[in-house]
Amino acid sequence: MVRDIRTIANIGSGTMGHATALQFAVAGYPVKLVDCSQELLDAGMARIRSDAEEFAQAGLLAQGEGVEDVLSRITTYTDYEHGAAGADFIIESIVEKLDVKQRVWSEIEQYAPEDAIFATNTSGLSPTAIQSVLKHPERLVVAHFWNPAQLMPLVEVVPGESTAEEVEEATFELMRKIGKKPAKIRKESLGFVGNRLQLAVLREAFNIMNEGIANAETIDTVVKYSLGRRWNLVGPVASADLGGLDTFYNVSTYLLKDMDNGTEPSPLLEAKVQAGDLGAKTGRGFYEWTGETGRAVIRQRDENLIRQLVEDAREEA
């Protein structure tokens, strides 16, 4: 079924949408990029060009290809009627609001081919709820890219209650074909898998700060130079096997009782949000993100992610 996918419609050209469009274009697919204004599309195309130039410098484009080859595969539209027409695979990366996604998909369904696959790039909304408004709910699936989507390999493929198995399988294979590392999730759950693990770690990280055990910088140092390095190679479950399940069991008998098991957001996190300190997007969170220091951290992160993509490509060659 993946071989029948020839044209991609990419709904949304923002932070996530521009990156997914780039990924499909780099992989050789014609992409119809759709957003609600030409101004947004122009901004998205500028970001696509910038990211494609970074790919070219890192040697991540196909042999003999340049930035202009990638950009030539992307055409822009400000309406779903022309943007969705003729597409075999339609992926959406718009605001994380259920009612908005339902409304957009209902409209797209009016113009999309009957056999087109619908993929929502939601980070945690229920695919069952999104597909419930469709005449053909069986063709909608989650394809959750991780941010920054052009640099992070993971895509969580998550079915809703009505999703056809062949739709899930084709989406999984398509993600693999464009160079991603897809993870097939057996059934939907709030936050899927990645965000559930991420929030579990952050809950205890905020608790450690709240208890005065360590500050944010110390916590990040501990994770970067221990768990982060280990899990990047074998993952947490395999690490438990390697460390000895009896050891982890024994530690669990006393440590879990002392850890945060709350079901409400951390008061530290709530205070930051109420103060408008939202992190890099506002210039301040638990860290200061203004000035060259903040830009350097982001730049170093992206350079390291690109280097890992290059290493992945060499391993697969």
Side-chain angles (χ1 to χ4, degrees), residues 310-317:
V310 172
E311 292 174 359
D312 289 345
R314 287 173 179 166
E315 290 176 1
E316 294 174 0

Short mmCIF file of all heavy atoms in Angstrom, two decimals, residues 310-317:
data_model
loop_
_atom_site.label_atom_id
_atom_site.label_comp_id
_atom_site.label_asym_id
_atom_site.label_seq_id
_atom_site.Cartn_x
_atom_site.Cartn_y
_atom_site.Cartn_z
N VAL A 310 23.52 12.02 10.55
CA VAL A 310 24.58 11.60 9.61
C VAL A 310 25.09 10.21 9.99
O VAL A 310 25.29 9.35 9.11
CB VAL A 310 25.73 12.62 9.61
CG1 VAL A 310 26.91 12.10 8.80
CG2 VAL A 310 25.25 13.96 9.05
N GLU A 311 25.29 9.98 11.27
CA GLU A 311 25.75 8.66 11.73
C GLU A 311 24.70 7.59 11.43
O GLU A 311 25.04 6.48 11.01
CB GLU A 311 26.06 8.71 13.22
CG GLU A 311 27.28 9.57 13.55
CD GLU A 311 27.49 9.73 15.04
OE1 GLU A 311 26.67 9.18 15.82
OE2 GLU A 311 28.47 10.40 15.44
N ASP A 312 23.41 7.93 11.63
CA ASP A 312 22.34 6.97 11.31
C ASP A 312 22.37 6.61 9.83
O ASP A 312 22.20 5.44 9.46
CB ASP A 312 20.98 7.58 11.66
CG ASP A 312 20.73 7.68 13.16
OD1 ASP A 312 21.47 7.04 13.93
OD2 ASP A 312 19.83 8.42 13.56
N ALA A 313 22.56 7.62 8.97
CA ALA A 313 22.58 7.40 7.53
C ALA A 313 23.75 6.50 7.14
O ALA A 313 23.62 5.64 6.26
CB ALA A 313 22.66 8.74 6.79
N ARG A 314 24.90 6.68 7.78
CA ARG A 314 26.06 5.84 7.47
C ARG A 314 25.82 4.40 7.88
O ARG A 314 26.21 3.48 7.18
CB ARG A 314 27.29 6.40 8.21
CG ARG A 314 27.84 7.68 7.62
CD ARG A 314 28.93 8.25 8.49
NE ARG A 314 29.49 9.48 7.93
CZ ARG A 314 30.26 10.32 8.61
NH1 ARG A 314 30.59 10.05 9.86
NH2 ARG A 314 30.71 11.42 8.03
N GLU A 315 25.16 4.20 9.01
CA GLU A 315 24.87 2.84 9.48
C GLU A 315 23.93 2.11 8.54
O GLU A 315 24.01 0.90 8.36
CB GLU A 315 24.28 2.89 10.89
CG GLU A 315 25.28 3.32 11.96
CD GLU A 315 24.64 3.44 13.34
OE1 GLU A 315 23.41 3.17 13.43
OE2 GLU A 315 25.34 3.78 14.30
N GLU A 316 23.00 2.88 7.94
CA GLU A 316 22.00 2.26 7.07
C GLU A 316 22.50 2.07 5.64
O GLU A 316 21.90 1.35 4.85
CB GLU A 316 20.73 3.11 7.05
CG GLU A 316 20.03 3.14 8.41
CD GLU A 316 18.85 4.08 8.43
OE1 GLU A 316 18.58 4.72 7.38
OE2 GLU A 316 18.20 4.21 9.49
N ALA A 317 23.61 2.75 5.30
CA ALA A 317 24.14 2.68 3.92
C ALA A 317 24.70 1.29 3.61
O ALA A 317 25.18 0.60 4.47
CB ALA A 317 25.21 3.74 3.74
#
